[in-house]
Amino acid sequence: RQMCIRDSNKGAEHCAKKLGEEAVETVIAAVENDRDHLIAESADLLFHLLVLLRARGLALAQVVELLQSRHSQ
């Protein structure tokens, strides 16, 4: 994971590509109906989303705030 944090220094484009890879792996795990694999890939997906948000100077709290506003209407 430390390498991924350093990867955020390579720029948001690099982080976005890694997030895309993890998203595909998560979809595959879901389609295969492999619970443990899906949990592991979901964790990786969330981790890389957080790295991308950080690379763009954003916080998870901002995303959560938007979700809350969308669902409170």
Side-chain angles (χ1 to χ4, degrees):
R1 299 289 178 237
Q2 188 66 13
M3 177 189 285
C4 296
I5 299 295
R6 283 182 294 201
D7 285 351
S8 69
N9 295 328
K10 293 181 181 178
E13 295 82 9
H14 178 79
C15 294
K17 288 177 184 177
K18 187 62 182 170
L19 178 64
E21 292 171 15
E22 295 300 336
V24 169
E25 291 174 7
T26 303
V27 169
I28 291 168
V31 170
E32 292 175 344
N33 199 25
D34 182 335
R35 182 182 183 277
D36 292 338
H37 190 206
L38 179 56
I39 291 169
E41 293 301 341
S42 295
D44 291 344
L45 179 65
L46 291 172
F47 175 82
H48 287 286
L49 174 59
L50 293 172
V51 171
L52 176 60
L53 290 172
R54 177 180 170 182
R56 285 292 190 204
L58 301 171
L60 180 60
Q62 293 170 281
V63 176
V64 170
E65 182 180 315
L66 177 63
L67 288 171
Q68 289 173 334
S69 72
R70 284 181 182 174
H71 296 286
S72 65
Q73 298 174 355

